[in-house]
Amino acid sequence: MSQINAGLLLLRPQGGRNLIAGTGRTPLVIPVAIDETCREAVHVTRRLETEVGGHLFLRQVISVPGLGGDRRLFVAEAQDDPVTQRTWIPTDEHRADLARALRTALAGEEAHERTYESVVDQALDMAQLPWCRPGWLGELRRRLDAHFAEPTDVQPYKLRVGRLILRVANSGGMYEVHATATADADANRWANNTLQDAEQRGLLRGWRPDLAGSFPDLGAEVRQAPIGTSLAMLGDLPTWSATMQSMVDLQIRSSMRGGLTTAAPYGGGALASRLEDCVQQWQAHEVLGEGFGARSLKWIKDCVLDAIEMLDASVLPPVIVNGAMTGFTTYASDGLIQISEWHPTYIGHPFTTLARSLSHRAGALARHTQADLARPFVAGWLRFGRPTDLSQEVKAGIVVGSAVQAISAWETGRTFAASAAPALGEQITEWCETILRRSTG
């Protein structure tokens, strides 16, 4: 497998942010070799520990765009003595030192001051990430031990934009800790409000793991680990098809019990207005890749507006849509399904569910076409009602779902780090490309 060079920034949070530990006052960027397919926190952590010879807690991953492809910088806390002598915490007065260290470590990348400044900003701007606060991990462990009244093992599991998931185990079973960055009102509209309301009303019972505990001051909650095995591990089409049919049943039941409407948060002009705001910001920050000029962005907006108009006239009811649903976040066991991640969550047309679930395939599922994977979900909804133009409505659902994903990624990323634009560019560009492909294909 191909390797990519990355920099490892080892942070030692003793006494707060304004401390630099180690033998010198110059920040260290330690080169490590991490396979480009190694993305989840648990796998990255193991590889980093092998590379540096000590125990680490992965806090942050920063994407560094360059001519030779993206590189990643891993911000981690040293957990034992073998690596603590070369750990440091950057402070504002050492911004120039950090920038010089990055230029050396990333030699050969595009020499663009804004790129380096963005990376420096992200390394320094961690105040809104709860797990980047000094002592956060130690306090979490103490809380979990007290909550379960027994020693509890805590391991990193997944690290997302503004979110961290850890796996927790003790004699009582397996759990997950979900920590979330401080969010503003815009980001909340895609996740917390809709998600919390649906859960409080019992609309997610049976397909979201149960809440086992909450630590608001740590920005964390404890949930039962999802049942069964992820679809990416099972990987066969019959299991996928059965799971998609179960998803339809869950969405229909939630819709019927919840009396959902299209009034919030998508419907009317809300989505179009937010897309317009995001497009202006993408242009101002040069977020999107080459080829996305004013004409292509206007085309994208027109495509989304046309798709919204079609979905608003649909015979199918509005449902709770989980925008994080993929083969890696969906678990199946004996006909039951649970989804571990729920961002973004919104009220929308059923077919918008397909945008994320078809975009991320792996294992045996990767051998099947998107049409193969979409068919059981669409067929399940045909039992409820048949759209006038089924093919066009499926395309419209994916277009609108892709727009939600792009907007959500931008708003969430910008919430906790104003310097996150370069890291979000590739992700948002991919969603915009999907909108264009679906609208013309």
Side-chain angles (χ1 to χ4, degrees):
M1 291 186 179
S2 59
Q3 301 283 313
I4 61 173
N5 293 323
L8 174 62
L9 314 182
L10 298 178
L11 303 190
R12 188 183 189 184
Q14 294 182 346
R17 296 178 64 196
N18 299 318
L19 168 71
I20 290 185
T23 57
R25 297 185 64 82
T26 301
L28 296 178
V29 180
I30 306 172
V32 293
I34 303 291
D35 186 274
E36 60 186 4
T37 62
C38 190
R39 293 287 171 178
E40 297 295 2
V42 59
H43 302 128
V44 171
T45 300
R46 289 171 183 167
R47 290 295 302 273
L48 292 178
E49 290 180 339
T50 299
E51 289 278 341
V52 302
H55 295 298
L56 304 171
F57 171 52
L58 182 63
R59 292 183 178 275
Q60 188 182 18
V61 180
I62 301 173
S63 177
V64 186
L67 294 177
D70 286 357
R71 293 187 179 187
R72 292 175 290 167
L73 292 177
F74 304 101
V75 182
E77 174 189 344
Q79 294 288 294
D80 55 11
D81 291 337
V83 290
T84 53
Q85 289 189 352
R86 51 182 182 178
T87 65
W88 55 278
I89 279 193
T91 58
D92 286 335
E93 60 264 32
H94 292 279
R95 177 182 296 273
D97 292 336
L98 177 55
R100 281 195 295 271
L102 288 172
R103 287 189 182 92
T104 300
L106 303 174
E109 299 294 344
E110 184 178 12
H112 198 300
E113 286 296 322
R114 189 174 59 182
T115 296
Y116 292 111
E117 279 300 306
S118 172
V119 174
V120 173
D121 287 344
Q122 289 182 71
L124 294 173
D125 184 17
M126 299 186 295
Q128 295 189 63
L129 298 175
W131 52 93
C132 288
R133 299 172 190 159
W136 184 86
L137 180 61
E139 180 61 22
L140 175 66
R141 284 175 168 152
R142 287 190 290 272
R143 298 282 189 90
L144 290 172
D145 289 348
H147 180 79
F148 291 107
E150 64 173 298
T152 301
D153 180 57
V154 181
Q155 298 293 333
Y157 187 51
K158 297 180 180 180
L159 189 59
R160 300 286 186 252
V161 176
R163 291 178 294 128
L164 172 70
I165 303 175
L166 302 102
R167 276 290 171 97
V168 175
N170 54 36
S171 63
M174 186 80 71
Y175 303 85
E176 287 184 350
V177 173
H178 292 247
T180 306
T182 302
D184 62 14
D186 283 341
N188 273 334
R189 281 195 285 169
W190 288 119
N192 294 345
N193 290 349
T194 301
L195 189 58
Q196 292 175 3
D197 177 67
E199 187 163 44
Q200 289 171 1
R201 295 166 64 189
L203 302 182
L204 305 183
R205 192 171 297 120
W207 53 312
R208 190 186 191 198
D210 293 334
L211 183 67
S214 180
F215 310 122
D217 58 317
L218 298 179
E221 63 180 22
V222 185
R223 292 190 173 272
Q224 296 283 343
I227 59 175
T229 305
S230 71
L231 294 187
M233 296 297 294
L234 292 173
D236 60 274
L237 189 58
T239 301
W240 170 270
S241 298
T243 302
M244 292 301 99
Q245 291 170 7
S246 297
M247 173 57 66
V248 171
D249 294 337
L250 288 168
Q251 287 186 323
I252 291 176
R253 289 203 298 272
S254 295
S255 178
M256 296 299 98
R257 293 203 313 268
L260 304 176
T261 70
T262 56
Y266 122 90
L271 180 62
S273 175
R274 295 176 77 173
L275 178 61
E276 177 67 36
D277 290 342
C278 285
V279 166
Q280 292 178 5
Q281 294 176 42
W282 296 342
Q283 289 177 298
H285 293 277
E286 299 180 13
V287 172
L288 297 173
E290 293 184 7
F292 283 92
R295 291 183 63 185
S296 59
L297 289 174
K298 182 182 183 304
W299 189 10
I300 288 172
K301 290 187 291 184
D302 290 343
C303 291
V304 174
L305 289 175
D306 290 344
I308 291 174
E309 184 177 353
M310 169 168 277
L311 298 187
D312 283 345
S314 176
V315 298
L316 300 181
V319 298
I320 298 171
V321 179
N322 172 11
M325 177 182 162
T326 70
F328 293 96
T329 64
T330 306
Y331 294 75
S333 175
D334 298 327
L336 300 175
I337 66 169
Q338 285 190 341
I339 303 175
S340 62
E341 298 179 52
W342 286 77
H343 182 86
T345 301
Y346 58 98
I347 307 302
H349 187 282
F351 293 165
T352 60
T353 303
L354 295 172
R356 189 71 176 93
S357 59
L358 299 185
S359 68
H360 196 179
R361 308 193 309 278
L365 293 177
R367 297 197 299 266
H368 301 285
T369 66
Q370 290 191 348
D372 291 335
L373 300 184
R375 193 171 292 114
F377 184 85
V378 174
W381 272 104
L382 291 181
R383 292 183 283 121
F384 186 93
R386 188 175 188 87
T388 303
D389 191 333
L390 178 61
S391 175
Q392 290 302 314
E393 194 155 319
V394 170
K395 290 182 179 180
I398 296 175
V399 166
V400 171
S402 298
V404 171
Q405 294 287 342
I407 295 169
S408 173
W410 176 252
E411 292 178 342
T412 303
R414 296 280 291 174
T415 294
F416 75 91
S419 56
L424 295 170
E426 181 178 354
Q427 182 180 355
I428 295 172
T429 299
E430 288 178 356
W431 287 117
C432 288
E433 290 174 343
T434 299
I435 292 173
L436 293 176
R437 285 198 305 270
R438 290 292 178 176
S439 299
T440 59

